[in-house]
Amino acid sequence: MEYLKTQEYHTRIDAYFDGEKYVFINAFHGCVAVARREGLIEFTNDGYKAHVKFKVEKTRRTISKRTIDRVIYKMENKYMSTIVEYEWEEVDRDDLPYAVSVKLEER
């Protein structure tokens, strides 16, 4: 699991990535966006670029598309140049109806 801390409008937003989806947690409102990877990663013929598609479910007022795009772009381009495509679905609430839990295990 990867973790990235960012900020929007002076409010901390934590982003967690578990290999399949990004979960965005606002310090005051809770879970404000979930971005799920759609399908497999496709590569260009030369093998130097990847193409990924995400379906993003987000709240209307508590996180912006720009913040989600910035976090996903940064994480996806960490190891290889990537083209990221989104399908947006906005929910008219301050939080999403999901519970997030993290289980820690010793290796």
Side-chain angles (χ1 to χ4, degrees), residues 73-90:
Y73 185 80
K74 180 178 182 177
M75 296 297 285
E76 292 296 315
N77 282 280
K78 196 173 190 177
Y79 304 108
M80 177 180 233
S81 182
T82 307
I83 300 167
V84 183
E85 186 180 328
Y86 303 96
E87 182 181 322
W88 299 96
E89 179 183 335
E90 290 193 359

Side-chain angles (χ1 to χ4, degrees), residues 3 13 20 23 37-38 50 55 62 81-83 85 87:
Y3 167 74
I13 295 178
E20 175 198 350
V23 178
R37 189 185 306 267
E38 293 282 310
K55 182 173 183 181
T62 51
S81 182
T82 307
I83 300 167
E85 186 180 328
E87 182 181 322

Side-chain angles (χ1 to χ4, degrees), residues 6-52:
T6 188
Q7 189 171 336
E8 182 179 78
Y9 306 118
H10 305 292
T11 302
R12 190 183 84 234
I13 295 178
D14 300 323
Y16 298 93
F17 179 62
D18 67 357
E20 175 198 350
K21 65 187 165 300
Y22 289 89
V23 178
F24 295 85
I25 309 292
N26 181 301
F28 297 111
H29 296 285
C31 183
V32 292
V34 176
R36 290 182 175 83
R37 189 185 306 267
E38 293 282 310
L40 299 174
I41 299 173
E42 298 173 5
F43 295 95
T44 57
N45 290 338
D46 59 8
Y48 289 110
K49 254 192 189 195
H51 182 267
V52 294

Side-chain angles (χ1 to χ4, degrees), residues 1 99-103:
M1 178 176 287
V100 177
S101 66
V102 177
K103 181 179 178 183

